[in-house]
Coordinates of all heavy atoms in Angstrom, one line a residue:
H22 N 0.1 12.4 -3.1 CA 1.5 12.7 -3.5 C 2.3 13.3 -2.3 O 3.4 12.9 -1.9 CB 1.6 13.6 -4.7 CG 3.0 13.8 -5.2 ND1 3.8 14.9 -4.9 CD2 3.9 12.9 -5.9 CE1 5.0 14.8 -5.4 NE2 5.1 13.6 -6.0
R23 N 1.7 14.3 -1.6 CA 2.3 14.9 -0.5 C 2.5 13.9 0.7 O 3.5 13.9 1.3 CB 1.3 16.1 0.0 CG 1.8 16.7 1.3 CD 0.8 17.7 1.8 NE -0.6 17.3 2.0 CZ -1.0 16.5 3.0 NH1 -0.2 16.1 4.0 NH2 -2.3 16.1 3.1
L24 N 1.5 13.0 0.9 CA 1.7 12.0 2.0 C 2.9 11.1 1.7 O 3.6 10.7 2.5 CB 0.4 11.2 2.1 CG -0.7 12.0 2.8 CD1 -2.1 11.3 2.5 CD2 -0.5 12.2 4.3
L25 N 3.0 10.7 0.4 CA 4.1 9.8 0.0 C 5.4 10.5 0.2 O 6.4 9.9 0.8 CB 3.9 9.3 -1.4 CG 2.7 8.4 -1.7 CD1 2.6 8.2 -3.2 CD2 2.9 7.1 -0.9
V26 N 5.5 11.8 -0.2 CA 6.8 12.5 -0.1 C 7.1 12.7 1.4 O 8.2 12.7 1.8 CB 6.6 13.9 -0.8 CG1 7.8 14.8 -0.5 CG2 6.6 13.6 -2.3
A27 N 6.1 13.0 2.2 CA 6.3 13.2 3.7 C 6.9 12.0 4.3 O 7.5 12.1 5.4 CB 5.0 13.6 4.3
N28 N 6.7 10.8 3.7 CA 7.3 9.6 4.2 C 8.4 9.0 3.4 O 8.7 7.8 3.4 CB 6.1 8.5 4.3 CG 5.2 8.9 5.4 OD1 5.4 8.5 6.6 ND2 4.1 9.5 5.1
A29 N 9.1 9.9 2.6 CA 10.1 9.4 1.7 C 11.3 8.8 2.4 O 12.0 8.0 1.8 CB 10.6 10.6 0.9
A30 N 11.5 9.1 3.7 CA 12.6 8.4 4.4 C 12.4 6.9 4.5 O 13.3 6.2 4.8 CB 12.7 9.1 5.8
D31 N 11.2 6.4 4.4 CA 10.9 5.0 4.4 C 11.2 4.5 3.1 O 10.4 4.6 2.1 CB 9.4 4.8 4.8 CG 9.0 3.3 4.8 OD1 9.8 2.5 4.4 OD2 7.8 3.0 5.2
V32 N 12.4 3.8 2.9 CA 12.8 3.4 1.6 C 11.9 2.3 1.0 O 12.0 2.0 -0.2 CB 14.3 2.9 1.6 CG1 15.2 4.1 1.9 CG2 14.5 1.8 2.6
S33 N 11.1 1.6 1.8 CA 10.2 0.6 1.3 C 8.9 1.2 0.7 O 8.2 0.5 0.1 CB 9.9 -0.5 2.4 OG 9.1 0.1 3.4
L34 N 8.7 2.5 1.0 CA 7.5 3.1 0.4 C 7.9 3.8 -0.9 O 8.6 4.8 -0.9 CB 7.0 4.2 1.4 CG 5.8 5.0 1.0 CD1 4.5 4.0 0.9 CD2 5.5 6.1 2.0
F35 N 7.4 3.2 -2.0 CA 7.7 3.8 -3.3 C 7.0 5.1 -3.5 O 5.9 5.3 -3.2 CB 7.2 2.8 -4.4 CG 8.1 1.6 -4.5 CD1 7.7 0.6 -5.4 CD2 9.2 1.4 -3.8 CE1 8.4 -0.5 -5.6 CE2 10.0 0.2 -4.0 CZ 9.6 -0.7 -4.9
Q36 N 7.8 6.0 -4.0 CA 7.3 7.3 -4.4 C 6.6 7.2 -5.7 O 6.9 6.4 -6.5 CB 8.4 8.4 -4.5 CG 9.1 8.6 -3.1 CD 8.2 9.1 -2.1 OE1 7.6 10.2 -2.2 NE2 8.0 8.4 -1.0
Q37 N 5.5 8.0 -5.9 CA 4.7 7.9 -7.1 C 4.5 9.3 -7.6 O 4.2 10.2 -6.9 CB 3.4 7.2 -6.9 CG 3.6 5.8 -6.4 CD 2.2 5.0 -6.3 OE1 1.3 5.3 -7.1 NE2 2.1 4.2 -5.4
S38 N 4.6 9.5 -8.9 CA 4.3 10.7 -9.6 C 2.8 11.0 -9.5 O 2.0 10.1 -9.4 CB 4.8 10.7 -11.0 OG 4.0 9.8 -11.8
D39 N 2.4 12.3 -9.7 CA 1.0 12.6 -9.8 C 0.3 11.8 -11.0 O -0.8 11.4 -10.8 CB 0.8 14.1 -10.1 CG 1.1 14.9 -8.8 OD1 1.2 14.4 -7.7 OD2 1.1 16.2 -8.9
D40 N 1.1 11.6 -12.1 CA 0.5 10.9 -13.2 C 0.2 9.4 -12.8 O -0.8 8.9 -13.2 CB 1.5 10.9 -14.4 CG 1.5 12.3 -15.1 OD1 0.5 13.1 -14.9 OD2 2.5 12.6 -15.8
R41 N 1.2 8.8 -12.1 CA 1.0 7.4 -11.7 C -0.2 7.3 -10.8 O -1.0 6.4 -10.8 CB 2.2 6.8 -11.1 CG 1.8 5.5 -10.3 CD 2.6 4.3 -10.5 NE 3.4 4.0 -11.5 CZ 3.1 3.0 -12.4 NH1 1.9 2.4 -12.4 NH2 4.0 2.6 -13.3
I42 N -0.3 8.3 -9.8 CA -1.4 8.3 -8.8 C -2.7 8.4 -9.6 O -3.7 7.7 -9.3 CB -1.2 9.4 -7.8 CG1 0.0 9.1 -6.9 CG2 -2.5 9.5 -6.9 CD1 0.5 10.2 -6.1
R43 N -2.8 9.4 -10.5 CA -4.0 9.5 -11.3 C -4.4 8.3 -12.1 O -5.5 7.9 -12.1 CB -3.8 10.7 -12.4 CG -4.2 12.0 -11.8 CD -4.2 13.1 -12.9 NE -4.0 14.4 -12.3 CZ -2.8 14.9 -12.0 NH1 -1.7 14.3 -12.4 NH2 -2.6 16.0 -11.4
R44 N -3.4 7.6 -12.7 CA -3.6 6.4 -13.5 C -4.2 5.3 -12.6 O -5.0 4.5 -13.0 CB -2.3 6.0 -14.1 CG -2.4 4.9 -15.1 CD -1.1 4.6 -15.9 NE 0.1 4.7 -15.2 CZ 1.1 5.6 -15.4 NH1 1.0 6.5 -16.3 NH2 2.2 5.6 -14.7
D45 N -3.7 5.2 -11.3 CA -4.1 4.2 -10.4 C -5.1 4.7 -9.3 O -5.2 4.0 -8.3 CB -2.9 3.5 -9.7 CG -2.0 2.8 -10.7 OD1 -2.4 2.4 -11.8 OD2 -0.8 2.7 -10.4

Side-chain angles (χ1 to χ4, degrees):
H22 185 258
R23 175 186 52 78
L24 289 162
L25 294 172
V26 169
N28 288 277
D31 178 353
V32 295
S33 70
L34 180 64
F35 286 175
Q36 298 298 300
Q37 298 185 36
S38 67
D39 286 353
D40 287 340
R41 164 133 338 249
I42 294 166
R43 273 189 205 87
R44 190 171 41 243
D45 295 335

